[in-house]
Amino acid sequence: MKVILVYDINEKRVAKVLKICRKYLHWVQNSVFEGEISEAKLVKLKMELKKIINENEDSVIIYTFRSAWYTNRETMGVKKGGEELII
Amino acid sequence: MKKSIYIFSDGEIKRKDNTLYFETEDGRKYIPVENTQEILIFGEVTINKRLLEFLTESEIIMHFFNYYGYYVGSFYPREHLNSGYMILKQAEHYLDHKKRIILATKFVSGAIENIKRVLIYYANRGKPLNETVDRINSIARSIEDCESTEELMAVEGNIRDEYYQAFDIILDSEHFVFETRTKRPPKNRLNALISFANSLVYTTCLSEIYHTHLDPRIGYLHTTNFRRFTLNLDVAEIFKPIIADRVIFNLVNKGIIKSQHFEKKLDGIVLNDKGKQLLIQQMDERLRSTIQHKRLGRHVSYRQLIRLELYKIQKHLMEEEEYKPFQTGW
């Protein structure tokens, strides 16, 4: 499953959320992650995030795609992060 | 699906914030640990014990390759699936000559069957390969009479000779001619490709074995000795034709890999970094591509097929169901 995750978190907690996301997904640019992930791992990720965020102040949006076939990805300007498997 | 990570750059890989962190002179990158299956290292990479502990905890196997792309070894984390029962069964099938021959024969016949499928696939696309298939069939008849693994290996060797000769017909490229099989070092480009692709199949099989109860040190066709893993070599025999060789044919026939991706070294010819990366990319795609599995009735990737093959071997060792090597359907 393809996932895009974006967040807007209060400064107090943003570093914690960043660290959790790094464990599961590839960092793309500030507050944006993407990657291929299993359903079980996504549940795990959501549970970890739930523990940290303050539901009155923070917001996390997760887009999931069953396949990446019909999507197109275009980058303009600087490429900051990515999903390369060959480093 | 967990991903494999291939590292070509020089740098340091370490544990940071409970995930993997790779730092080079011109950049840094976090690797999502929860989504990593294995790490293959080709570059000059510094590691520390903390990282190895973390890899063990996360059950990630790390393979190392030297400057020329030769496999040098793996960090095989402590067995997380431990089974004394399975080791005893494996040893039993190794020590009992009759039982060992049965398994060894299956690996060879599985390999031959898939070799034939590859040849027939190209014969159907207009390559004159029917004679080769006939010759292989006539040699293959003798495998049932083999009484030792050495004889089996010899028959397999003869068949591989015939098979490799057919590479020139399939490829039909002046830059990639087969001549004879040469290893350590490979003497021409095609041999370099074959060697590198095969070593990738071996490590993939090893990674999959890690996730089963089997012990990779006890193989059946390849004699278990004091130095290395052998079960992965046995299993790889079945998959080499349909994974490694098909990838090579694609790379050459589609003109993706060219003569500038090779260099002279060690009195032979090896792939350069760009060449290795091209092959790895295709191989990774191949392992992730899926086919319809007849018995399971669902789509299964080639990597999962290897795992299923290992489960079948486990069943055979436990004498629950006789092992039947995988045969490709296309």
Side-chain angles (χ1 to χ4, degrees), chain A residues 1 19-27 35-38 41 44 48 81-87, chain B residues 2-9 17-19 22 29-35 277 280 284 288:
Chain A
M1 183 164 47
K19 282 176 191 172
I20 290 170
C21 293
R22 271 181 189 150
K23 283 183 359 194
Y24 295 86
L25 298 166
H26 291 269
W27 182 84
E36 193 104 20
I37 192 173
S38 70
K41 293 278 184 205
K44 244 180 110 183
E48 276 196 62
E83 235 188 303
E84 300 88 14
L85 300 175
I86 300 178
I87 314 171
Chain B
K2 287 188 171 185
K3 299 283 170 66
S4 309
I5 305 287
Y6 307 87
I7 296 184
F8 279 87
S9 329
D17 301 332
N18 272 327
T19 191
F22 183 63
K29 194 174 161 57
Y30 284 90
I31 302 162
V33 64
E34 299 277 352
N35 218 6
Q277 286 171 16
I280 281 172
D284 200 67
R288 269 192 279 155

Side-chain angles (χ1 to χ4, degrees), chain B residues 91-129:
Chain B
E92 185 189 319
H93 279 255
Y94 184 84
L95 293 171
D96 185 325
H97 185 69
K98 267 191 204 136
K99 287 181 176 171
R100 181 177 167 193
I101 281 290
I102 291 173
L103 267 174
T105 311
K106 302 228 182 215
F107 290 125
V108 174
S109 63
I112 294 169
E113 212 44 59
N114 286 326
I115 283 175
K116 275 172 14 197
R117 294 294 166 115
V118 169
L119 292 173
I120 291 165
Y121 175 89
Y122 283 97
N124 288 340
R125 277 157 184 72
K127 304 274 184 189
L129 291 165

